[in-house]
Amino acid sequence: MLDILYQDDALIAVNKPAGLAVHRSKMVGNADTFLVDVLREQVGGTLYLAHRLDRATSGVLLVARSTEMAAALGEQFMGRDVHKQYLTVVRGWPEPTEGTIDYPLPGSRETGPRREARTCYRRLATVEVPIELGRYPQQRYALVLAEPQTGRFRQIRKHLAHLHHPVIGDCQHGRSDHNRLYKQYFSCHRMLLHAWRLSFRHPLDGRPMLLEAPLDTAFLGLLERFGWSLPEP
């Protein structure tokens, strides 16, 4: 059963679990379970994705009940009228503590043309753990709030890797040694990127909507272990 955050006749918002592919695509590969199929069994009726989340990413996902609602929501995403906030854990302590990453990115094909891409970020908390890795006796990690201003393919993951502060658990753009450390010492087997809050206008009446997806037990367990707390709205 998927955790439904909001539901009416026009749209549904779910808290997508990490590791669950949203729909069939060439990028997904060998997945045999898809969020749209699970949700269709759960709520019935026709469903249309309003946007996408990577398979490894968790958090707020909007699904429309009709092509008209999907198009209306799509216009807000394309027009950059949707405000997205992601929580992530990265290697190192980003400096400065807040800023904007303005770095053009290609699409799903790395050889494709690069397009403008901007992500605002803010360092929320830091930790230093006494675990030896490579030539360092201790390892530094940070909790970061990321707010993408554009919607490029794997934008947050690529932008943070560009800053040399890759997302923990990111197999494509991250650091395998730190990913293994989190599995071995913290029993964390997921990528630590979560679509936390999403604000937009309801496609029927234009009222402002703010949806928040709770963190799963793996992510919450790390926050508790490191003594980190989430920011207030």
Side-chain angles (χ1 to χ4, degrees), residues 13-39:
V14 300
N15 187 1
K16 176 193 160 318
L20 177 63
V22 173
H23 65 117
R24 290 172 178 80
S25 76
K26 293 178 181 178
M27 302 299 298
V28 169
N30 60 355
D32 53 10
T33 305
F34 302 92
L35 182 140
V36 289
D37 297 333
V38 176
L39 186 61

Side-chain angles (χ1 to χ4, degrees), residues 61-168:
L61 183 77
L62 289 183
V63 181
R65 279 294 203 173
S66 67
T67 54
E68 293 80 10
M69 292 300 102
L73 288 168
E75 285 182 10
Q76 291 189 52
F77 279 98
M78 292 293 290
R80 301 177 186 173
D81 297 323
V82 177
H83 184 213
K84 296 172 277 187
Q85 290 187 317
Y86 287 72
L87 292 169
T88 185
V89 178
V90 303
R91 184 190 69 83
W93 296 355
E95 292 285 355
T97 56
E98 57 183 284
T100 300
I101 308 164
D102 193 342
Y103 180 70
L105 295 172
S108 57
R109 295 178 59 184
E110 286 297 323
T111 55
R114 290 179 175 266
R115 301 168 68 189
E116 64 159 340
R118 289 185 308 281
T119 303
C120 298
Y121 74 91
R122 177 159 55 98
R123 199 178 80 190
L124 301 175
T126 59
V127 71
E128 196 166 50
V129 296
I131 299 173
E132 187 173 347
L133 187 64
R135 56 194 176 98
Y136 298 104
Q138 301 190 68
Q139 309 307 316
R140 290 181 167 189
Y141 301 104
L143 178 66
V144 169
L145 181 72
E147 299 176 300
Q149 308 300 302
T150 50
R152 307 301 175 217
F153 180 69
R154 293 179 180 166
Q155 176 173 315
I156 294 173
R157 297 163 63 179
K158 290 181 176 180
H159 269 172
L160 289 169
H162 175 68
L163 284 192
H164 305 292
H165 295 290
V167 174
I168 298 299

Side-chain angles (χ1 to χ4, degrees), residues 1-17:
M1 291 282 285
L2 293 166
D3 177 17
I4 294 179
L5 304 170
Y6 177 84
Q7 182 176 6
D8 63 22
D9 292 338
L11 61 91
I12 301 169
V14 300
N15 187 1
K16 176 193 160 318

